[in-house]
Amino acid sequence: MRRLTALLAAGAAFACAGSALAADMPAGFWTTPTIQGYGKIHYLPNAAFKPQADQTYKIVFALTQAAKSPGEVNGALDHVARTVNLYHAAGVPLDHLKFVAVAYGPATPLALNDAQYRAKFGVANPNLPLIAELRKAGVDVSVCGQAVAEHDFQYDWIDKSVTLALSGLTTVTTLEHQGYDLMPM
């Protein structure tokens, strides 16, 4: 037990030190090469486990986290952008990325159109510019129709750039059946 406690304490200290070091990074250390302004990465050209440019990658992202605040981009959606940036920076063509992001549970509001998001939260929907960038890169951003109903949202409140899915559950299982890998977020 002492060893576990010591390991956890060391890990926490390392994480804090890492945060302090991140603040001292040189300009240009973090980039957003494909999804401009979102999903920042630091590319490591000699790192292990890099995606292969000649492969096609099929991933369904299950977005289940709420944003930290209504005025901030949903962190899970930003990680979808990070994934696109990492794969494309590794040389994988965008047409080899078959990515679907489905929002449900606490992530559902990210799919609201700007008028409804403003009415609910008092600010513009910060996710819509990111959704537009993801769409340009070929990512299908969708929302669970059951979660829309559970949140007491109307279906016509969903932004036109977002695909209305029957459910998050059926989206994930249908795509897994088609060979997609699940990436829970």
Side-chain angles (χ1 to χ4, degrees):
M1 185 67 159
R2 283 186 195 176
R3 183 178 171 137
L4 177 59
T5 303
L7 285 173
L8 290 173
F14 181 74
C16 290
S19 295
L21 291 174
D24 295 335
M25 294 298 167
F29 183 85
W30 294 107
T31 63
T32 56
T34 307
I35 308 297
Q36 295 298 309
Y38 302 97
K40 67 182 182 177
I41 67 168
H42 176 68
Y43 189 67
L44 301 166
N46 298 318
F49 305 112
K50 290 188 337 188
Q52 300 300 306
D54 63 343
Q55 299 293 309
T56 295
Y57 294 90
K58 296 165 71 172
I59 302 173
V60 56
F61 298 87
L63 311 181
T64 60
Q65 301 173 14
K68 290 181 183 177
S69 75
E72 292 183 39
V73 167
N74 181 288
L77 190 63
D78 191 63
H79 273 78
V80 175
R82 174 177 275 182
T83 307
V84 173
N85 286 332
L86 286 166
Y87 275 77
H88 198 230
V92 179
L94 290 177
D95 65 353
H96 287 176
L97 301 179
K98 308 301 180 194
F99 289 177
V100 176
V102 59
Y104 55 99
T108 303
L110 71 79
L112 290 172
N113 65 38
D114 199 54
Q116 295 303 324
Y117 197 92
R118 282 179 190 273
K120 178 144 182 74
F121 299 109
V123 295
N125 186 342
N127 300 290
L128 295 179
L130 173 51
I131 291 170
E133 289 297 312
L134 289 168
R135 286 278 186 195
K136 283 189 221 171
V139 177
D140 185 351
V141 178
S142 63
V143 66
C144 169
Q146 307 310 301
V148 170
E150 287 173 345
H151 280 80
D152 295 320
F153 299 157
Q154 300 297 312
Y155 293 112
D156 62 354
W157 295 0
I158 302 306
D159 193 79
K160 300 290 185 222
S161 64
V162 176
T163 302
L164 180 62
L166 174 61
S167 73
L169 299 170
T170 58
T171 300
V172 168
T173 57
T174 298
L175 291 174
E176 282 185 312
H177 190 69
Q178 295 173 11
Y180 280 70
D181 293 314
L182 173 62
M183 178 74 64
M185 302 265 204

